[in-house]
Structure formats: C-alpha cells, structure tokens
Amino acid sequence: MLQLTGSPAALGLVLAARILPTVVLLLIGGVIADRLPRRAVMMASDLTRFGSQALAGVLLLTGDANLASMIVLQLVAGTAAAFFQPASSGLLPEVVPAKDLQPANGLIQLSENFAWTLGPALGGLLVALVSPGAALIFDGVTFLISAIALWMLKVDRRAPSVQENPSILRELRGGWTEFRTRTWLWTTVAWAGTFHLLVLPAWQIFGPSIARDQLGGAPAWALITTCSGLGSVLGGVIALRMRPRYLLRASFVPLGMYGLQLLALGLLAPVPVIAAAALVSNIGLSMFNVFSFTAMQQNVPIEAMGRVSSYEWLGSIALLPIGQALIAPIGSQTSPTTMLIVAAGWMAITPVLLFMIRSARNLRAVDDESLAEAAAQQAEEAVEPDVRAQKV
C-alpha cells in the first residue's frame, strides 16, 4: 500500500479493514461454529482467504490494484477470520482426547510462535527480493495448504445438537450463560482485556520508538523481538512437557514475569539486558495461552465451544485498538517511561490477583484419574434411577 499510494493513512485503512469485520462478526462466527461441522467452516474460511490474498497479489502484480479493491479484499479476509477462530477452538476436542489437550495446545502454540518469529522475516525477504504482490500470493497459498490439511484430518463426527429455537439471539444467550457461569473463565478474560488495553500497547508503541531514538535503531529492536519470539517458543516447549495438577495456577508466576521486559525498556537498560528480559518475559505468556485454551476445551461443553470461544476472544482483544490509540497520547502527557513502569507494575501484581480467584487457582487438569472418576460418577447416576424404581 505504501508503494501504491505513498500514504500511511491508506495503509491504516487497509489494516483496519482486516480487523474490523473480525471483531464485529466474531460472536456470529461462534454460533455458526456450533451449528455446522467445524472442519467445514474452517476449510471455507481458509479457501476464502486464499482467494482474497491471492487476488490482492495478482492485482498488485498487474498494476490494477487500488485503495478500494484492497479494502474490499481485506474486508473479505477479516470476515473469514471471524468464522475460523471460534471453529478452531472447538475442533481440537473433536480430534484429541481430553487428557491430551494440553500437549496438543502446546504443539499448536509452539508452531504459532515459530510462525510469528520466522514469518515476518520470510515476508520481508519476499517483498525485497521479488515484490509485495508475490508475497501476498504466497500468503494466499498458505491458506490453501491449511485447507488441504484440514480436509485430510480425521474428525470425530458428531451430530449437531437439536435446537428447539435455533435463533441466533437465543444461541448467543446460551453461549453467554456458559461463559459467565464459569468464574475462572470470565475473570481470566477480564485480566486479558487489561493486558491488551495497557501492557501490550505500551510494549508495541513505545518499544520501537525508544529503540530508534535511544538504543541504536532497527538492529537493536530486531534483536529484542527475536528474543521475544525465542521466549515464546521456549514457553511452548515447557507447556508441552509440563503436566500440572492445577492447570491455570501453574502459569500465574511465569505470567507475572512479562513485566521484566517492560521494566528493562523503561529504565533504558543495555540492549542485551532488554533482550534477555524479553526472552524470559514471553515464556510465561506462552504458557498461560496454552493452559487457558486447554482449561476452556476441557471444561466447556463441546456443543457450546464455538460461542464460548468467541466471547473469550472478543473479551480479550476488543480493547487492543483502544489501547493502541490512547497509549501514545497518554504517554505524551506523562512519559513513555512512566507508562512502561505502570504496565510492569500491573504485571507484577497479576499473579496475586489471579491467585485470589479460587476457581482459577483450584481448576484441576483433566487426566486419566479424573476421567475415571467422571466415568464412575456417570455409571452411578445411570444406576440410581433403577434403584429408585425397585424401591418404589
């Protein structure tokens, strides 16, 4: 877009067109994910994004692209993403036994972290060595590969639940009930909202500018972000190997360490110190993501997973654009250092706040023993009616 228009504002419009329909349609996407086969929803979403990204690349290569066409294509891609994410959260329990959800989520987190670390570098190389159009076509092909992988996936085919009143509003209310009645879930989502309102924007906005002005420029920031990615990968490996008895509690203290990189940046520590802090900081965040996804998949009924996941995603990320828009003006009235230290302080007290939530700290992971207990309880409940009938 910068090559096409020379306008950062135009780039902002295209990026906004990608995220806006995702936020607006996420709840509807959750309803659809619980109504239709989730794999089919994800495949349709991938094929749609394959078409939108590949077409955008072709338009750039042929010189036919303009601002309007790029906005429309990104609106299409963002709409498809709104249906993919809720369906993906519910698909995993259909493929993986409950006791294996944690390592499965660990593998997913690990692959995502590798992609977030290597993807920008690969994209930059394609843009520099070939063209932006070629990079977008390659991006589109990755969605096609994803659709093929989903088509090859063996899924436990479950009949959709029969709804007495299949109205979207009623299903949304049912999903909201499932969400709000689990205190450990809505409280951790509320915390995630504060993270995306204050902590992440402080790092995203002030980090590059401080690196540019006071740490030596782009090479310093590249080292810091690379260490962030490595920390995320390491956190995924740890989460893959761990088998904690209390699922969420295991990540509370590591999560609080995310403030180390904010503190080091705010105090203008040497670049190697900030990079080391970034590596340590992102270990806990990656672990928290794995354990929280696993907790939701193990404890939310499969027939409501799409809707509950959409509420979880919306509550977590909806405040991010607001934080990104407000953090710089607030920082100009105080200082970037002040905002970074405030964000670091919030992360420091996060383990205490989360530990105070009884249902969060006592939420047990599903293992072979708990599965056996649940099966025994179901068998007992199945026998009780016969016993009562004999007594009558």
Side-chain angles (χ1 to χ4, degrees):
M1 289 309 301
L2 292 176
Q3 288 185 9
L4 184 66
T5 67
S7 169
L11 174 60
L13 287 174
V14 173
L15 293 177
R18 180 62 175 261
I19 189 64
L20 181 62
T22 301
V23 174
V24 172
L25 297 174
L26 197 56
L27 295 181
I28 303 300
V31 173
I32 298 301
D34 286 337
R35 283 186 174 189
L36 302 177
R38 294 183 174 94
R39 183 177 63 165
V41 173
M42 294 169 66
M43 290 174 59
S45 176
D46 274 338
L47 292 174
T48 300
R49 288 182 288 182
F50 160 65
S52 67
Q53 297 303 92
L55 181 56
V58 170
L59 290 176
L60 285 173
L61 288 177
T62 59
D64 296 323
N66 55 46
L67 178 59
S69 64
M70 297 299 284
I71 287 177
V72 169
L73 289 173
Q74 294 315 299
L75 285 171
V76 171
T79 299
F83 293 89
F84 183 91
Q85 189 57 53
S88 67
S89 298
L91 180 68
L92 194 61
E94 296 181 0
V95 182
V96 178
K99 65 183 180 63
D100 294 329
L101 281 172
Q102 181 194 321
N105 279 305
L107 285 171
I108 291 174
Q109 186 72 34
L110 191 61
S111 66
E112 288 182 352
N113 291 333
F114 270 119
W116 281 109
T117 302
L118 301 178
L122 177 59
L125 284 175
L126 287 171
V127 170
L129 299 179
V130 190
S131 70
L136 282 175
I137 291 174
F138 181 85
D139 182 34
V141 170
T142 64
F143 289 107
L144 178 61
I145 294 172
S146 174
I148 294 173
L150 285 166
W151 175 71
M152 297 171 63
L153 190 65
K154 293 182 179 180
V155 179
D156 179 15
R157 301 179 182 275
R158 304 183 184 189
S161 57
V162 178
Q163 302 287 337
E164 296 180 0
N165 183 0
S167 69
I168 291 179
L169 185 59
R170 177 161 183 166
E171 292 194 56
L172 285 173
R173 285 200 300 264
W176 173 251
T177 299
E178 295 285 354
F179 176 81
R180 69 174 178 81
T181 53
R182 290 169 170 81
T183 303
W184 60 268
L185 179 56
W186 68 258
T187 51
T188 54
V189 169
W191 173 85
T194 67
F195 177 84
H196 288 95
L197 178 66
L198 170 63
V199 179
L200 189 58
W203 178 256
Q204 290 178 331
I205 302 302
F206 296 132
S209 62
I210 291 176
R212 180 194 61 195
D213 298 337
Q214 303 183 61
L215 299 177
W221 188 242
L223 174 63
I224 293 169
T225 54
T226 299
C227 288
S228 297
L230 292 175
S232 297
V233 171
L234 183 57
V237 173
I238 293 173
L240 176 64
R241 304 293 297 178
M242 282 185 66
R243 287 290 185 150
R245 182 177 183 182
Y246 296 99
L247 199 55
L248 295 176
R249 188 194 304 182
S251 65
F252 288 169
V253 172
L255 180 62
M257 297 175 69
Y258 190 87
L260 292 176
Q261 64 180 10
L262 299 159
L263 183 62
L265 182 64
L267 297 178
L268 293 179
V271 171
V273 174
I274 300 174
L279 189 150
V280 174
S281 296
N282 283 273
I283 292 174
L285 183 62
S286 183
M287 292 172 59
F288 177 77
N289 288 335
V290 171
F291 293 153
S292 59
F293 281 138
T294 302
M296 187 169 63
Q297 292 163 345
Q298 287 183 346
N299 292 277
V300 174
I302 186 66
E303 62 272 10
M305 182 62 69
R307 286 164 290 165
V308 173
S309 173
S310 66
Y311 281 113
E312 187 268 340
W313 271 91
L314 187 62
S316 297
I317 68 171
L319 296 179
L320 179 59
I322 298 175
Q324 291 171 326
L326 295 181
I327 197 74
I330 296 174
S332 66
Q333 296 298 316
T334 55
S335 71
T337 295
T338 299
M339 297 306 299
L340 286 165
I341 292 177
V342 168
W346 177 249
M347 292 306 303
I349 66 173
T350 285
V352 177
L353 295 175
L354 294 178
F355 194 83
M356 291 172 62
I357 306 167
R358 181 189 301 176
S359 58
R361 72 170 183 266
N362 291 335
L363 186 68
R364 293 183 59 176
V366 172
D367 51 22
D368 292 331
E369 181 181 349
S370 56
L371 287 174
E373 292 176 356
Q377 183 178 357
Q378 291 178 357
E380 182 178 351
E381 291 173 353
V383 171
E384 283 181 355
D386 294 334
V387 173
R388 288 195 296 267
Q390 292 175 5
K391 289 182 178 179
V392 172

